Protein backbone atom coordinates (compact mmCIF):
# COMPACT_ATOMS: atom_id res chain seq x y z
CA UNK A 1 0.00 0.00 0.00
CA UNK A 2 1.26 3.48 -0.90
CA UNK A 3 0.20 7.04 -0.20
CA UNK A 4 -0.72 9.28 -3.14
CA UNK A 5 -1.01 13.05 -3.06
CA UNK A 6 -4.47 14.24 -4.06
CA UNK A 7 -7.06 17.01 -4.03
CA UNK A 8 -10.32 16.17 -2.32
CA UNK A 9 -13.72 17.52 -1.37
CA UNK A 10 -14.32 17.12 2.37
CA UNK A 11 -18.02 18.01 2.43
CA UNK A 12 -20.68 19.23 0.02
CA UNK A 13 -20.28 22.85 -1.07
CA UNK A 14 -16.84 23.28 0.48
CA UNK A 15 -13.66 23.98 -1.52
CA UNK A 16 -11.42 21.12 -2.58
CA UNK A 17 -8.04 20.97 -0.88
CA UNK A 18 -4.89 18.85 -0.45
CA UNK A 19 -5.33 15.29 0.78
CA UNK A 20 -3.55 11.92 0.78
CA UNK A 21 -5.16 8.64 -0.31
CA UNK A 22 -4.04 5.09 0.21
CA UNK A 23 -3.52 3.15 -3.00
CA UNK A 24 -3.47 -0.62 -2.78
CA UNK A 25 -0.30 -2.59 -3.41
CA UNK A 26 0.07 -3.74 -7.02
CA UNK A 27 -1.51 -7.18 -7.29
CA UNK A 28 -0.83 -9.85 -9.95
CA UNK A 29 -3.37 -8.36 -12.41
CA UNK A 30 -2.88 -4.69 -11.52
CA UNK A 31 -1.34 -1.73 -13.33
CA UNK A 32 0.03 1.26 -11.43
CA UNK A 33 -0.09 4.60 -13.27
CA UNK A 34 1.65 7.84 -12.43
CA UNK A 35 -1.04 10.35 -13.37
CA UNK A 36 0.12 13.15 -15.64
CA UNK A 37 -3.21 14.81 -16.40
CA UNK A 38 -6.82 14.50 -15.32
CA UNK A 39 -9.75 16.16 -17.04
CA UNK A 40 -12.51 17.92 -15.14
CA UNK A 41 -15.97 16.64 -16.02
CA UNK A 42 -19.15 18.50 -15.12
CA UNK A 43 -20.21 15.39 -13.22
CA UNK A 44 -17.27 16.03 -10.85
CA UNK A 45 -18.97 19.24 -9.81
CA UNK A 46 -22.33 17.50 -9.34
CA UNK A 47 -20.70 14.81 -7.20
CA UNK A 48 -18.63 17.02 -4.90
CA UNK A 49 -21.70 19.17 -4.24
CA UNK A 50 -23.79 16.05 -3.62
CA UNK A 51 -26.35 17.18 -6.20
CA UNK A 52 -26.95 13.56 -7.20
CA UNK A 53 -27.04 12.45 -3.53
CA UNK A 54 -25.05 9.57 -2.12
CA UNK A 55 -21.74 11.45 -1.98
CA UNK A 56 -19.06 9.87 0.21
CA UNK A 57 -16.48 12.20 1.74
CA UNK A 58 -13.59 12.82 1.59
CA UNK A 59 -14.03 12.49 -2.18
CA UNK A 60 -11.23 12.58 -4.75
CA UNK A 61 -12.93 13.23 -8.12
CA UNK A 62 -11.65 12.60 -11.62
CA UNK A 63 -12.35 9.93 -14.25
CA UNK A 64 -10.45 11.30 -17.24
CA UNK A 65 -7.03 9.96 -16.32
CA UNK A 66 -3.89 9.67 -18.45
CA UNK A 67 -0.33 8.97 -17.44
CA UNK A 68 2.54 6.52 -17.57
CA UNK A 69 2.77 2.98 -16.20
CA UNK A 70 5.18 2.70 -13.27
CA UNK A 71 4.55 -0.91 -12.14
CA UNK A 72 2.70 -4.01 -13.36
CA UNK A 73 1.65 -7.25 -11.71
CA UNK A 74 3.13 -10.62 -12.60
CA UNK A 75 0.09 -11.66 -14.69
CA UNK A 76 -0.25 -8.40 -16.66
CA UNK A 77 0.19 -8.97 -20.41
CA UNK A 78 -0.80 -5.78 -22.26
CA UNK A 79 1.25 -3.19 -20.39
CA UNK A 80 4.81 -2.69 -19.31
CA UNK A 81 6.58 -0.02 -17.31
CA UNK A 82 6.89 3.19 -19.34
CA UNK A 83 3.74 2.71 -21.45
CA UNK A 84 1.19 5.49 -21.78
CA UNK A 85 -2.14 4.46 -20.29
CA UNK A 86 -5.55 5.82 -19.39
CA UNK A 87 -8.41 5.14 -17.01
CA UNK A 88 -11.95 6.33 -17.66
CA UNK A 89 -15.16 6.17 -15.70
CA UNK A 90 -14.91 2.48 -14.77
CA UNK A 91 -12.33 0.55 -12.73
CA UNK A 92 -14.10 -2.82 -12.50
CA UNK A 93 -17.34 -4.76 -12.99
CA UNK A 94 -18.60 -8.24 -12.21
CA UNK A 95 -17.50 -9.41 -15.71
CA UNK A 96 -20.04 -12.27 -15.67
CA UNK A 97 -23.53 -10.75 -16.05
CA UNK A 98 -25.18 -10.50 -19.49
CA UNK A 99 -24.18 -6.83 -19.84
CA UNK A 100 -20.53 -7.49 -19.04
CA UNK A 101 -20.52 -10.47 -21.40
CA UNK A 102 -21.62 -8.06 -24.16
CA UNK A 103 -18.77 -5.65 -23.30
CA UNK A 104 -21.26 -3.22 -21.77
CA UNK A 105 -19.58 -2.98 -18.38
CA UNK A 106 -21.13 0.44 -17.81
CA UNK A 107 -24.46 -1.36 -17.41
CA UNK A 108 -23.12 -4.14 -15.15
CA UNK A 109 -26.17 -5.70 -13.54
CA UNK A 110 -24.36 -6.13 -10.24
CA UNK A 111 -23.26 -2.50 -10.28
CA UNK A 112 -19.99 -1.45 -11.88
CA UNK A 113 -17.17 -0.02 -9.79
CA UNK A 114 -16.83 3.58 -10.89
CA UNK A 115 -13.55 5.46 -10.65
CA UNK A 116 -14.54 7.58 -7.67
CA UNK A 117 -17.35 7.95 -5.13
CA UNK A 118 -18.02 4.27 -5.66
CA UNK A 119 -16.81 1.00 -4.21
CA UNK A 120 -14.61 -1.75 -5.52
CA UNK A 121 -16.36 -5.00 -6.35
CA UNK A 122 -15.77 -6.13 -2.77
CA UNK A 123 -18.38 -3.42 -1.94
CA UNK A 124 -16.24 -2.22 0.96
CA UNK A 125 -13.29 -0.32 -0.48
CA UNK A 126 -14.05 3.25 -1.55
CA UNK A 127 -12.68 4.38 -4.90
CA UNK A 128 -10.68 7.59 -5.29
CA UNK A 129 -10.28 9.31 -8.64
CA UNK A 130 -7.71 11.02 -10.77
CA UNK A 131 -7.15 14.31 -8.95
CA UNK A 132 -4.16 12.47 -7.52
CA UNK A 133 -0.57 11.54 -8.24
CA UNK A 134 -1.13 7.83 -8.93
CA UNK A 135 -3.72 5.10 -9.24
CA UNK A 136 -3.77 1.29 -9.25
CA UNK A 137 -6.32 -0.39 -11.52
CA UNK A 138 -6.89 -3.95 -12.70
CA UNK A 139 -5.46 -4.46 -16.20
CA UNK A 140 -8.83 -5.26 -17.80
CA UNK A 141 -9.95 -1.66 -17.15
CA UNK A 142 -6.77 0.13 -18.23
CA UNK A 143 -6.67 1.65 -21.73
CA UNK A 144 -3.80 2.07 -24.16
CA UNK A 145 -3.05 5.67 -25.15
CA UNK A 146 -1.30 6.45 -28.43
CA UNK A 147 1.89 8.53 -28.26
CA UNK A 148 0.66 10.25 -31.46
CA UNK A 149 -1.79 12.33 -29.44
CA UNK A 150 -1.22 15.30 -27.16
CA UNK A 151 -1.46 13.62 -23.77
CA UNK A 152 -3.13 16.44 -21.84
CA UNK A 153 -5.77 16.95 -24.55
CA UNK A 154 -6.39 13.19 -24.65
CA UNK A 155 -7.59 13.07 -21.04
CA UNK A 156 -11.19 14.26 -21.72
CA UNK A 157 -11.60 11.56 -24.36
CA UNK A 158 -11.95 9.13 -21.46
CA UNK A 159 -15.39 10.62 -20.70
CA UNK A 160 -16.48 13.32 -23.18
CA UNK A 161 -14.97 11.34 -26.04
CA UNK A 162 -16.57 7.98 -25.31
CA UNK A 163 -19.88 9.57 -24.23
CA UNK A 164 -20.30 11.02 -27.73
CA UNK A 165 -18.55 8.26 -29.70
CA UNK A 166 -20.76 5.49 -28.29
CA UNK A 167 -24.14 6.76 -29.62
CA UNK A 168 -22.58 7.69 -32.97
CA UNK A 169 -21.34 4.12 -33.30
CA UNK A 170 -24.52 2.55 -31.93
CA UNK A 171 -26.60 4.36 -34.55
CA UNK A 172 -24.09 3.41 -37.29
CA UNK A 173 -23.08 6.92 -38.29
CA UNK A 174 -21.46 6.81 -41.72
CA UNK A 175 -20.43 8.94 -44.64
CA UNK A 176 -23.30 11.03 -45.95
CA UNK A 177 -25.47 10.82 -42.82
CA UNK A 178 -26.88 14.11 -41.59
CA UNK A 179 -26.11 14.58 -37.91
CA UNK A 180 -27.31 17.44 -35.71
CA UNK A 181 -25.48 18.26 -32.47
CA UNK A 182 -27.42 20.22 -29.86
CA UNK A 183 -25.15 22.37 -27.68
CA UNK A 184 -21.50 23.30 -28.15
CA UNK A 185 -19.83 22.50 -24.85
CA UNK A 186 -17.56 19.79 -23.50
CA UNK A 187 -19.66 17.02 -25.02
CA UNK A 188 -20.94 18.90 -28.05
CA UNK A 189 -17.51 19.88 -29.36
CA UNK A 190 -16.43 16.23 -29.25
CA UNK A 191 -19.62 15.10 -31.00
CA UNK A 192 -18.90 17.54 -33.83
CA UNK A 193 -15.31 16.36 -34.24
CA UNK A 194 -16.16 12.66 -34.13
CA UNK A 195 -19.22 12.81 -36.40
CA UNK A 196 -17.28 14.82 -38.98
CA UNK A 197 -14.43 12.30 -38.86
CA UNK A 198 -16.94 9.53 -39.53
CA UNK A 199 -17.94 11.31 -42.73
CA UNK A 200 -21.25 12.74 -41.56
CA UNK A 201 -22.63 16.09 -42.66
CA UNK A 202 -22.74 17.88 -39.31
CA UNK A 203 -24.98 20.75 -38.22
CA UNK A 204 -24.41 22.54 -34.92
CA UNK A 205 -27.70 23.51 -33.24
CA UNK A 206 -27.16 26.27 -30.70
CA UNK A 207 -29.02 29.12 -29.05
CA UNK A 208 -25.94 31.34 -29.47
CA UNK A 209 -24.88 32.80 -32.81
CA UNK A 210 -21.46 33.42 -31.24
CA UNK A 211 -20.83 29.64 -31.32
CA UNK A 212 -20.98 29.42 -35.12
CA UNK A 213 -17.35 30.27 -35.84
CA UNK A 214 -16.04 27.73 -33.34
CA UNK A 215 -18.47 25.07 -34.57
CA UNK A 216 -17.19 25.40 -38.12
CA UNK A 217 -13.56 25.29 -36.96
CA UNK A 218 -14.33 22.06 -35.13
CA UNK A 219 -15.75 20.49 -38.27
CA UNK A 220 -19.42 21.45 -38.46
CA UNK A 221 -20.63 22.03 -42.02
CA UNK A 222 -23.74 24.00 -41.06
CA UNK A 223 -25.13 26.02 -38.16
CA UNK A 224 -28.71 26.34 -36.93
CA UNK A 225 -29.67 29.12 -34.52
CA UNK A 226 -32.27 27.47 -32.29
CA UNK A 227 -33.26 30.71 -30.56
CA UNK A 228 -34.86 31.62 -33.92
CA UNK A 229 -38.18 29.75 -34.49
CA UNK A 230 -37.59 29.89 -38.24
CA UNK A 231 -34.71 27.42 -37.80
CA UNK A 232 -37.11 24.65 -36.77
CA UNK A 233 -39.19 25.18 -39.90
CA UNK A 234 -36.16 25.41 -42.17
CA UNK A 235 -34.54 22.22 -40.83
CA UNK A 236 -37.69 20.13 -40.32
CA UNK A 237 -37.21 16.49 -41.34
CA UNK A 238 -33.50 16.94 -42.11
CA UNK A 239 -31.50 14.72 -39.77
CA UNK A 240 -30.74 11.03 -39.54
CA UNK A 241 -29.43 11.46 -36.00
CA UNK A 242 -29.45 14.20 -33.37
CA UNK A 243 -27.02 14.11 -30.44
CA UNK A 244 -28.51 16.22 -27.64
CA UNK A 245 -25.88 17.27 -25.08
CA UNK A 246 -27.91 19.88 -23.18
CA UNK A 247 -28.56 19.50 -19.45
CA UNK A 248 -30.76 22.60 -19.16
CA UNK A 249 -34.55 22.28 -19.67
CA UNK A 250 -35.58 22.43 -23.34
CA UNK A 251 -38.36 21.14 -25.56
CA UNK A 252 -37.50 17.72 -26.99
CA UNK A 253 -40.54 17.80 -29.26
CA UNK A 254 -39.14 20.71 -31.28
CA UNK A 255 -35.93 18.79 -31.97
CA UNK A 256 -37.76 15.55 -32.76
CA UNK A 257 -39.43 17.52 -35.53
CA UNK A 258 -36.02 17.95 -37.16
CA UNK A 259 -35.61 14.20 -37.69
CA UNK A 260 -36.31 12.45 -40.93
CA UNK A 261 -38.65 9.45 -40.99
CA UNK A 262 -37.13 6.71 -38.75
CA UNK A 263 -34.51 9.11 -37.47
CA UNK A 264 -33.19 8.99 -33.91
CA UNK A 265 -32.45 11.52 -31.19
CA UNK A 266 -30.06 10.52 -28.39
CA UNK A 267 -30.01 12.26 -25.02
CA UNK A 268 -26.66 12.75 -23.28
CA UNK A 269 -27.59 15.67 -21.04
CA UNK A 270 -29.66 15.25 -17.89
CA UNK A 271 -32.00 18.21 -17.26
CA UNK A 272 -33.01 18.65 -13.60
CA UNK A 273 -36.71 18.16 -14.31
CA UNK A 274 -38.60 15.60 -16.48
CA UNK A 275 -39.34 16.79 -20.00
CA UNK A 276 -42.77 16.10 -21.56
CA UNK A 277 -42.70 14.22 -24.87
CA UNK A 278 -45.78 14.16 -27.09
CA UNK A 279 -46.56 10.72 -28.50
CA UNK A 280 -47.18 12.29 -31.89
CA UNK A 281 -43.58 13.55 -32.02
CA UNK A 282 -42.52 9.91 -32.22
CA UNK A 283 -45.44 8.17 -33.89
CA UNK A 284 -45.60 10.38 -36.97
CA UNK A 285 -42.37 9.28 -38.60
CA UNK A 286 -41.56 6.21 -36.47
CA UNK A 287 -38.87 8.21 -34.73
CA UNK A 288 -36.72 7.07 -31.83
CA UNK A 289 -35.89 8.95 -28.64
CA UNK A 290 -33.13 7.24 -26.69
CA UNK A 291 -30.38 7.87 -24.18
CA UNK A 292 -26.76 6.86 -23.87
CA UNK A 293 -24.29 6.72 -21.00
CA UNK A 294 -20.57 6.12 -21.65
CA UNK A 295 -19.24 2.99 -23.33
CA UNK A 296 -17.70 -0.30 -22.31
CA UNK A 297 -13.96 -0.85 -22.13
CA UNK A 298 -13.70 -2.42 -25.60
CA UNK A 299 -15.60 0.48 -27.19
CA UNK A 300 -13.56 3.04 -25.24
CA UNK A 301 -10.35 1.53 -26.59
CA UNK A 302 -11.89 1.58 -30.07
CA UNK A 303 -12.63 5.27 -29.60
CA UNK A 304 -9.06 6.04 -28.51
CA UNK A 305 -7.71 4.18 -31.54
CA UNK A 306 -10.11 6.04 -33.83
CA UNK A 307 -8.98 9.35 -32.35
CA UNK A 308 -5.32 8.41 -32.85
CA UNK A 309 -6.03 7.50 -36.48
CA UNK A 310 -7.84 10.80 -37.13
CA UNK A 311 -5.73 13.01 -34.83
CA UNK A 312 -8.70 13.95 -32.65
CA UNK A 313 -8.29 15.36 -29.14
CA UNK A 314 -10.32 17.70 -26.96
CA UNK A 315 -9.97 21.47 -26.94
CA UNK A 316 -8.63 22.17 -23.46
CA UNK A 317 -7.43 24.74 -20.96
CA UNK A 318 -4.59 23.23 -18.91
CA UNK A 319 -4.49 24.47 -15.31
CA UNK A 320 -2.63 23.67 -12.08
CA UNK A 321 -4.56 21.59 -9.58
CA UNK A 322 -4.60 24.53 -7.17
CA UNK A 323 -7.06 26.28 -9.53
CA UNK A 324 -9.67 23.52 -9.44
CA UNK A 325 -12.16 25.48 -7.31
CA UNK A 326 -11.90 28.46 -9.64
CA UNK A 327 -12.41 26.10 -12.59
CA UNK A 328 -15.62 24.77 -11.03
CA UNK A 329 -16.99 28.30 -10.71
CA UNK A 330 -16.05 29.07 -14.30
CA UNK A 331 -17.75 25.87 -15.48
CA UNK A 332 -21.00 27.08 -13.93
CA UNK A 333 -20.68 30.19 -16.09
CA UNK A 334 -19.78 28.17 -19.23
CA UNK A 335 -16.45 29.97 -19.18
CA UNK A 336 -14.27 27.28 -20.74
CA UNK A 337 -13.53 26.15 -24.28
CA UNK A 338 -14.13 23.33 -23.94
CA UNK A 339 -12.65 21.24 -21.13
CA UNK A 340 -10.44 21.98 -18.14
CA UNK A 341 -7.55 19.59 -17.61
CA UNK A 342 -5.52 19.45 -14.39
CA UNK A 343 -1.74 19.22 -14.64
CA UNK A 344 -1.10 16.69 -11.88
CA UNK A 345 2.61 17.49 -11.80
CA UNK A 346 1.55 20.66 -9.95
CA UNK A 347 0.65 18.53 -6.92
Amino acid sequence: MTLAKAYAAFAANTPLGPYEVERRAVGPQDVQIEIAYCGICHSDLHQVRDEWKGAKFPMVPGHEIVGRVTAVGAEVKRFQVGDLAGVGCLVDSCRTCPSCQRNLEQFCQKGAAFTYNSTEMDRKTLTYGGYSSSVVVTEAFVLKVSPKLDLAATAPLLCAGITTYSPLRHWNTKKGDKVGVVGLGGLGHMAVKLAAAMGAEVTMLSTSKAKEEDARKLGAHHFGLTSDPVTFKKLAGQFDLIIDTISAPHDYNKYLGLLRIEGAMVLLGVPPEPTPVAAGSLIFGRKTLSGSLIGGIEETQEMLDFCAEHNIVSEIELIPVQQVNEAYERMLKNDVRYRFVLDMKTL
Side-chain angles (χ1 to χ4, degrees):
M1 192 169 292
T2 59
L3 287 176
K5 293 181 179 179
Y7 248 58
F10 300 96
N13 298 311
T14 61
L16 279 70
Y19 186 59
E20 283 191 334
V21 296
E22 290 185 347
R23 296 299 192 187
R24 69 172 183 261
V26 177
Q29 298 178 353
D30 286 337
V31 176
Q32 183 183 64
I33 300 169
E34 180 182 3
I35 300 173
Y37 305 103
C38 184
I40 297 178
C41 178
H42 207 284
S43 61
D44 297 347
L45 193 153
H46 289 304
Q47 293 270 37
V48 302
R49 299 188 176 191
D50 199 20
E51 292 174 355
W52 292 344
K53 305 304 176 185
K56 303 174 181 70
F57 297 103
M59 182 194 302
V60 177
H63 56 211
E64 300 177 347
I65 301 166
V66 292
R68 199 168 291 276
V69 175
T70 53
V72 296
E75 297 175 16
V76 170
K77 298 178 180 179
R78 296 189 300 117
F79 295 91
Q80 58 186 8
V81 172
D83 286 351
L84 294 175
V87 178
C89 301
L90 305 168
V91 291
D92 207 354
S93 71
C94 80
R95 313 192 206 184
T96 58
C97 72
S99 293
C100 289
Q101 290 294 301
R102 293 178 56 201
N103 297 310
L104 298 172
E105 297 93 347
Q106 73 272 33
F107 301 127
C108 176
Q109 291 168 24
K110 295 182 181 178
F114 292 96
T115 307
Y116 72 91
N117 197 42
S118 182
T119 52
E120 299 280 6
M121 296 311 291
D122 60 15
R123 297 305 175 212
K124 298 177 183 178
T125 308
L126 190 64
T127 58
Y128 296 105
Y131 295 11
S132 58
S133 57
S134 66
V135 67
V136 178
V137 179
T138 184
E139 178 188 20
F141 286 77
V142 179
L143 299 145
K144 288 184 171 291
V145 176
S146 171
K148 296 178 182 178
L149 299 175
D150 177 274
L151 190 59
T154 297
L157 299 182
L158 276 301
C159 181
I162 185 57
T163 298
T164 47
Y165 181 90
S166 187
L168 288 167
R169 271 288 181 252
H170 181 76
W171 292 100
N172 300 313
T173 301
K174 59 189 181 300
K175 185 176 181 180
D177 283 357
K178 292 186 177 182
V179 174
V181 177
V182 184
L184 187 58
L187 292 177
H189 94 285
M190 287 307 310
V192 170
K193 286 190 173 192
L194 291 166
M198 292 174 184
E201 183 179 331
V202 182
T203 299
M204 168 50 56
L205 301 167
S206 174
T207 58
S208 173
K209 181 68 174 176
K211 295 288 184 75
E212 181 171 4
E213 183 179 354
D214 262 13
R216 292 187 183 276
K217 287 179 180 177
L218 293 165
H221 304 90
H222 311 287
F223 182 87
L225 185 63
T226 55
S227 55
D228 182 354
V230 173
T231 297
F232 289 93
K233 295 180 180 179
K234 180 180 177 182
L235 298 179
Q238 292 276 325
F239 299 108
D240 299 284
L241 178 67
I242 292 175
I243 303 294
D244 185 343
T245 71
I246 301 298
S247 291
H250 57 294
D251 186 354
Y252 294 159
N253 300 286
K254 291 168 67 176
Y255 290 92
L256 287 166
L258 304 182
L259 293 173
R260 62 163 178 78
I261 292 173
E262 297 184 330
M265 177 169 154
V266 183
L267 305 180
L268 304 183
V270 185
E273 300 294 335
T275 303
V277 176
S281 297
L282 302 172
I283 291 170
F284 293 98
R286 195 156 64 184
K287 298 170 184 178
T288 300
L289 178 64
S290 71
S292 186
L293 190 59
I294 46 172
I297 298 301
E298 181 179 80
E299 189 173 52
T300 304
Q301 186 63 63
E302 178 187 305
M303 176 274 303
L304 286 171
D305 295 343
F306 179 88
C307 288
E309 180 184 351
H310 295 274
N311 194 30
I312 295 172
V313 290
S314 294
E315 303 297 311
I316 69 165
E317 181 176 335
L318 185 63
I319 61 172
V321 68
Q322 293 80 7
Q323 292 181 14
V324 63
N325 295 300
E326 177 186 336
Y328 280 9
E329 294 303 318
R330 288 179 57 193
M331 283 169 59
L332 289 172
K333 300 173 184 175
N334 294 318
D335 181 24
V336 58
R337 292 190 177 182
Y338 281 93
R339 299 287 280 204
F340 285 115
V341 173
L342 298 174
D343 183 349
M344 301 316 301
K345 294 188 293 296
T346 59
L347 273 171

